[in-house]
Amino acid sequence: MKSRTKVVVIGGGIAGCSTLYHLTREGWTDVVLVERNELTSGTTWHSAAQVTNFGMNQTMVGLKRHSINLYKELAEDPDYPINYHHGDGGIRLANTPEQIQGYHHFASMARGMDVHFEVIGAEECARRHPLISTDNLLGGLWDPLDGDIDPAQLCQALARRARKAGAEVYRNTPVSGLTQHKDDTWTVHTEHGDIDCDIVVNACGYRVNEVGAMMGVHHPVASMEHQYFLTEEIAAIRDAGHRMPLLRCPISDYYCRQEKNGLLVGFYEQDCKTWGMDGIDPNFVNALCPDDLDRVTDVLEGAFARMPALMEVGIHTVVNGPITYTIDGAPLVGPIPGKRNAFCIIGLRAGLGEGGGHGWLLAQQIVHGEACYDTWCLDPRRFTGHANVEMTALKAIEDYQNEFRFHFPHEHRPAGRPAKTTPLTPILAAEGAEFTVVNGWERVDYIKPAPDFHPTLSFNFDETFDVVAAEVKNLQDNVGLAEVNGFNRLEITGDDRHAFLDRMMCGAVTKRNGRVGLGYLLNHHGMVKAEATIANLPASDRGPARVWYGSAAAGEYHDMDWLQAHLRDGEDVQIRSLTNDQTILVLAGPRSRDVLSACARGDWSREAFPWLSVRECFVGFAPATVLNISFSGELAYEIHIPNASLYAAYLALRKVGEDHGMTLFGARAIESMRMEKGFLHWKADLLTEFDPFETGLDRFVKLNKGDFVGRDALMKRNESGLQKKLVSLKVDTTEAPAHGGASLMLQGRVVGTITSGGWGHRMGMNLAYGFVDLEVSNPGSKMLLDLCGELVDAEVIAPSPYDPDLSRVRS
């Protein structure tokens, strides 16, 4: 066994084997996989092993497309072919118009990744799958490339190719400990000796937290028992002359696929059960949980109704084994938060079908620092301090019970809530607030007009339209107040703080005390990594001279990891998180200065406290730090308050606001207003797949300022010219907003993809952002938006249609 290697991958299921293989494909061959037993002895061996293109976003569709292409290549390898039923086709059923509408959206989204779904009617579903009934059925989503694969053969094929490239695989080699050294390298301790390595990868399936504990981390991954059975032979299948398509049924919570001349039928019952919460037997290897078909009786009845042939055939085998879930159902593939040179590929509840793509994207991140797609939807850092196994178990049960029911826009399911709150959460709830969730935080979405107000779940504009319009209107005319909790806030101190930030950001960095600036951070490929507000605070009784670095709530762990990874030895810079200690109250509208002036001593005039200023003060008697910046396009102030004083500051502002027509507003109003102002949303419009010039951030880039992270790569990209461009669009419909991922079409071909959309209530305009081909990037360019199956006109317009000269912000 080697004593030194570049990467050690721990775990020999689909996650580990795929990662090892793809590392060799990226050029790293001095890599090792260690497995405590035999390959595929965990969840992989009993997987139903379905392979579909369907995903909830373009990254998921892209990685699944890679899996299918890779598996097809492996199946056709003359030296080591594997069993892969490629292209049997698959149907996701629907019995409501809203589900059908959603399927049309997913078809539009997938088209941009060159994946082609088809929405079909009930009769066509039955024609393609002659065993199903059309009772209570409207139609379905057809994936022509759906299929299934042999799990053990797949993993062995990947391991074989990795070995041929120079990788090594050590079976029956349990890991007993992990030690990280001062230079951030690792020693992997095993029962057969130690292996020193640069990088370690946790690919341990349901044993993920056993290895996580060895490096002092706690992964939000929990397991669920999952049952399926294999039937005896069914004559209609035997005599069909073709393989039956796969079936996934959100109506009756089951799926099935052909297995020999019978069916494999799996269940997602409501009376589901977690597994391994109190530890896992070390001898649980190639093992199953006890059968419990009584638990799936209700689901089985629905399956009988949809497929009467099941009532006439015997059960050959029952399988009940653990599968892993995360808080949002998507895997954790990427850097482990707070650790250097440590990665994970875990929580793969559909591991066999998509594991090829996950290993592909992880290998790219390990070798190159980023993948070809923006992988935020998979990033382990998208969950922060609230994420634990207990919460994950609650969300896993909820996801399991809704396995084939996709999330609608603005749908927030109740399990695992509330995870993060402030002193104002119950106060705002009493005011009628409906909450959305941002990085676990309960954030006001809008103020309900009545306690029993419940909007319809739909891809169309819903009943909140007029509610949000009223919030925006009052803010535009008078003044509004909103709580923005969870905003990522890092305090940076030390004599080298400005030089450090100058190196991290691609543009000019504001250094003057009392001033605020906006800047962008790039990765080493010159692509957009992060967006940050920089506020310079002079020394005071609240602390030394310091910089406040503010960014999106979701970026809490992401940005901290990125900044700390770039600190140099001997550099006088200290970074401290204040994210969970303070909360922002946003005061916005033409009367906001009057409210602030009545609550806080000092001169708040335009001359004394102009746009992009920062000042410490007291709001009432609550200590506060106020920034004159706006995300709404109106005169606005961000008032940062320690949580202990938050309620006091809120009361002071509300009391004065009574005389100025103040009302509360929420996240949907903010979203509407930022669309009108051309302000971009991190991980919706700001993606690592595009550079700042493609994203329209030219004014924030200073290539001649000296070295900064990503400068050389950006200059090289700039020489080649733009590949895509982010544009603002006016969408010609009042029925629905554009949804992220939807395709923009010209003469039957895809020319762009929507990143975000919404109604601009001040402009009376349906707005969207999207990355498009250069040929359609100029204002006035017209194209068609595939909006849930309907082609509607879309036209490129100049950015920031509302108050483009910022006169209201500067007022």
Side-chain angles (χ1 to χ4, degrees):
M1 191 169 75
K2 280 186 174 182
S3 61
R4 184 72 175 80
T5 190
K6 195 165 187 66
V7 182
V8 173
V9 180
I10 307 172
I14 180 59
C17 291
S18 177
T19 302
L20 189 75
Y21 165 73
H22 283 98
L23 284 170
T24 66
R25 289 297 300 269
E26 296 298 327
W28 285 14
T29 56
D30 181 16
V31 291
V32 162
L33 183 149
V34 294
E35 161 56 42
R36 70 192 302 272
N37 300 111
E38 295 289 344
L39 297 184
T40 75
S41 59
T43 292
T44 299
W45 80 270
H46 61 74
S47 169
Q50 300 168 100
V51 183
T52 176
N53 268 312
F54 183 80
M56 296 299 292
N57 53 59
Q58 287 193 322
T59 295
M60 292 300 294
V61 171
L63 69 87
K64 290 185 178 189
R65 180 188 60 182
H66 174 85
S67 294
I68 289 174
N69 292 339
L70 171 63
Y71 297 171
K72 192 169 185 293
E73 177 189 330
L74 293 172
E76 295 171 352
D77 184 342
D79 296 328
Y80 194 84
I82 65 174
N83 293 325
Y84 176 29
H85 297 119
H86 169 74
D88 289 348
I91 310 172
R92 293 175 184 270
L93 301 179
N95 67 338
T96 70
E98 291 79 14
Q99 288 172 317
I100 293 292
Q101 185 186 37
Y103 288 161
H104 278 293
H105 166 67
F106 294 122
S108 172
M109 179 262 293
R111 189 180 298 114
M113 302 301 289
D114 198 27
V115 170
H116 300 280
F117 296 147
E118 184 183 357
V119 180
I120 57 179
E123 295 300 328
E124 183 63 14
C125 289
R127 189 189 71 79
R128 299 187 189 191
H129 198 307
L131 296 184
I132 68 170
S133 162
T134 58
D135 291 346
N136 187 31
L137 184 65
L138 285 183
L141 182 70
W142 171 259
D143 175 2
L145 298 184
D146 216 338
D148 67 271
I149 198 165
D150 184 294
Q153 289 182 359
L154 170 60
C155 292
Q156 294 291 352
L158 291 168
R160 173 180 174 273
R161 286 196 171 191
R163 287 190 186 101
K164 287 183 68 175
E168 297 192 17
V169 176
Y170 305 137
R171 298 169 297 133
N172 300 305
T173 305
V175 172
S176 56
L178 294 168
T179 301
Q180 189 166 28
H181 306 290
K182 289 183 178 180
D183 62 356
D184 294 323
T185 62
W186 293 86
T187 297
V188 180
H189 307 283
T190 81
E191 291 187 1
H192 303 311
D194 294 348
I195 310 175
D196 294 326
C197 62
D198 297 326
I199 294 168
V200 66
V201 178
N202 186 341
C204 292
Y206 52 68
R207 295 190 184 274
V208 53
N209 275 311
E210 293 178 9
V211 171
M214 296 177 189
M215 62 173 67
V217 299
H218 182 89
H219 295 289
V221 175
S223 296
M224 300 292 297
E225 288 189 16
H226 177 61
Q227 295 187 92
Y228 64 79
F229 63 63
L230 307 177
T231 73
E232 302 286 359
E233 181 176 275
I234 298 174
I237 294 178
R238 181 194 63 212
D239 301 335
H242 62 84
R243 287 184 59 82
M244 289 289 162
L246 288 81
L247 198 70
R248 297 172 182 86
C249 182
I251 308 164
S252 301
D253 298 304
Y254 82 99
Y255 63 90
C256 70
R257 66 167 176 82
Q258 184 171 335
E259 178 69 15
K260 297 183 179 177
N261 284 328
L263 289 173
L264 182 155
V265 186
F267 305 97
Y268 289 96
E269 70 279 5
Q270 298 302 296
D271 185 24
C272 53
K273 185 178 180 181
T274 58
W275 180 87
M277 292 291 291
D278 297 319
I280 303 169
D281 186 339
N283 298 313
F284 191 86
V285 178
N286 280 325
L288 294 171
C289 310
D291 301 347
D292 189 5
L293 287 182
D294 289 343
R295 206 167 70 223
V296 302
T297 300
D298 57 335
V299 183
L300 189 56
E301 290 176 356
F304 285 162
R306 182 63 57 204
M307 300 182 71
L310 289 175
M311 292 186 284
E312 302 169 5
V313 65
I315 296 175
H316 179 276
T317 304
V318 178
V319 173
N320 184 17
I323 56 176
T324 56
Y325 280 75
T326 66
I327 288 176
D328 63 0
L332 304 176
V333 180
I336 295 175
K339 294 292 179 181
R340 301 278 182 87
N341 296 339
F343 295 81
C344 61
I345 176 169
I346 53 179
L348 277 63
R349 70 175 178 183
L352 261 294
E354 56 195 39
H358 288 307
W360 173 56
L361 294 181
L362 180 61
Q364 292 178 53
Q365 293 179 67
I366 293 170
V367 175
H368 307 297
E370 295 283 359
C372 57
Y373 304 143
D374 190 297
T375 56
W376 182 247
C377 64
L378 307 172
D379 198 306
R381 296 165 298 188
R382 70 187 188 273
F383 303 128
T384 57
H386 64 292
N388 52 52
V389 172
E390 286 71 16
M391 170 186 253
T392 307
L394 295 174
K395 295 301 291 184
I397 291 169
E398 183 180 66
D399 271 2
Y400 192 94
Q401 293 169 335
N402 293 277
E403 178 70 23
F404 299 128
R405 286 182 280 276
F406 55 78
H407 280 76
F408 283 93
H410 303 297
E411 179 183 6
H412 298 288
R413 294 172 182 169
R417 297 179 64 185
K420 297 180 183 177
T421 61
T422 74
L424 291 187
T425 305
I427 308 301
L428 295 168
E431 296 259 21
E434 179 69 24
F435 294 91
T436 185
V437 180
V438 181
N439 189 23
W441 291 95
E442 296 288 329
R443 185 178 291 181
V444 176
D445 204 19
Y446 58 89
I447 304 300
K448 295 185 289 187
D452 60 351
F453 180 75
H454 299 292
T456 305
L457 292 178
S458 168
F459 283 80
N460 291 333
F461 290 119
D462 61 29
E463 295 87 346
T464 64
F465 189 91
D466 291 338
V467 175
V468 175
E471 291 180 8
V472 172
K473 176 63 174 172
N474 189 71
L475 185 151
Q476 182 186 21
D477 293 344
N478 300 303
V479 62
L481 183 68
E483 180 191 54
V484 180
N485 48 14
F487 186 76
N488 185 39
R489 184 186 297 96
L490 304 177
E491 183 179 86
I492 304 176
T493 55
D495 291 344
D496 297 326
R497 64 190 183 279
H498 289 123
F500 168 68
L501 287 170
D502 194 56
R503 190 174 75 247
M504 295 302 299
M505 308 186 88
C506 64
V509 176
T510 302
K511 300 179 177 64
R512 286 173 49 202
N513 280 333
R515 296 299 293 166
V516 179
L518 180 67
Y520 292 86
L521 294 79
L522 309 183
N523 62 26
H524 296 286
H525 303 283
M527 315 300 252
V528 176
K529 184 74 173 177
E531 175 189 63
T533 300
I534 301 298
N536 292 290
L537 293 165
S540 70
D541 58 352
R542 300 183 192 177
R546 59 209 182 276
V547 169
W548 274 13
Y549 171 111
S551 62
E556 180 183 351
Y557 282 3
H558 173 278
D559 287 17
M560 177 66 89
D561 276 0
W562 185 250
L563 293 173
Q564 289 188 328
H566 288 85
L567 289 173
R568 294 174 176 170
D569 291 341
E571 198 165 28
D572 183 17
V573 175
Q574 299 82 42
I575 307 174
R576 180 170 71 103
S577 176
L578 302 177
T579 300
N580 298 297
D581 301 332
Q582 303 212 13
T583 295
I584 299 172
L585 296 176
V586 172
L587 186 67
R591 298 187 181 182
S592 57
R593 180 179 285 114
D594 297 332
V595 174
L596 183 61
S597 296
C599 291
R601 287 183 291 117
D603 184 353
W604 298 99
S605 66
R606 175 179 177 178
E607 294 72 26
F609 192 67
W611 182 51
L612 298 180
S613 297
V614 58
R615 177 191 297 177
E616 292 178 331
C617 67
F618 292 88
V619 171
F621 55 78
T625 304
V626 179
L627 281 67
N628 185 343
I629 59 175
S630 173
F631 204 54
S632 63
E634 306 291 344
L635 174 66
Y637 302 96
E638 279 188 5
I639 306 173
H640 298 243
I641 308 286
N643 284 337
S645 305
L646 184 62
Y647 185 39
Y650 174 80
L651 289 176
L653 292 166
R654 287 289 272 162
K655 180 64 175 176
V656 171
E658 291 175 359
D659 296 330
H660 297 276
M662 176 190 286
T663 57
L664 300 176
F665 65 98
R668 293 208 202 181
I670 294 172
E671 182 69 5
S672 169
M673 292 184 287
R674 74 97 183 172
M675 292 291 303
E676 294 174 309
K677 282 303 302 165
F679 296 153
L680 306 181
H681 201 298
W682 187 66
K683 293 309 178 188
D685 316 302
L686 299 168
L687 303 169
T688 58
E689 293 177 36
F690 303 98
D691 68 38
F693 298 123
E694 292 172 317
T695 313
L697 302 175
D698 309 47
R699 66 191 184 280
F700 295 101
V701 180
K702 304 294 182 194
L703 289 174
N704 60 357
K705 76 167 193 171
D707 189 38
F708 58 83
V709 175
R711 178 179 180 269
D712 292 345
L714 181 60
M715 292 183 71
K716 188 173 296 185
R717 285 182 60 85
N718 200 33
E719 292 171 2
S720 303
L722 301 182
Q723 303 301 310
K724 294 275 189 177
K725 189 173 180 181
L726 184 70
V727 298
S728 298
L729 295 156
K730 179 176 66 174
V731 180
D732 188 19
T733 179
T734 59
E735 295 298 316
H739 299 284
S743 289
L744 292 159
M745 314 288 296
L746 183 66
Q747 298 176 348
R749 58 189 173 89
V750 177
V751 294
T753 298
I754 295 294
T755 58
S756 57
W759 189 266
H761 286 282
R762 292 171 297 190
M763 298 296 298
M765 188 182 296
N766 197 353
L767 297 168
Y769 301 145
F771 281 98
V772 301
D773 295 344
L774 295 186
E775 63 177 295
V776 291
S777 63
N778 294 321
S781 295
K782 296 181 179 180
M783 62 206 82
L784 295 173
L785 166 65
D786 182 351
L787 184 55
C788 297
E790 299 291 330
L791 293 178
V792 299
D793 292 331
E795 179 182 347
V796 177
I797 61 173
S800 188
Y802 181 76
D803 188 30
D805 62 359
L806 297 175
S807 61
R808 296 179 72 88
V809 169
R810 300 171 187 266
S811 62

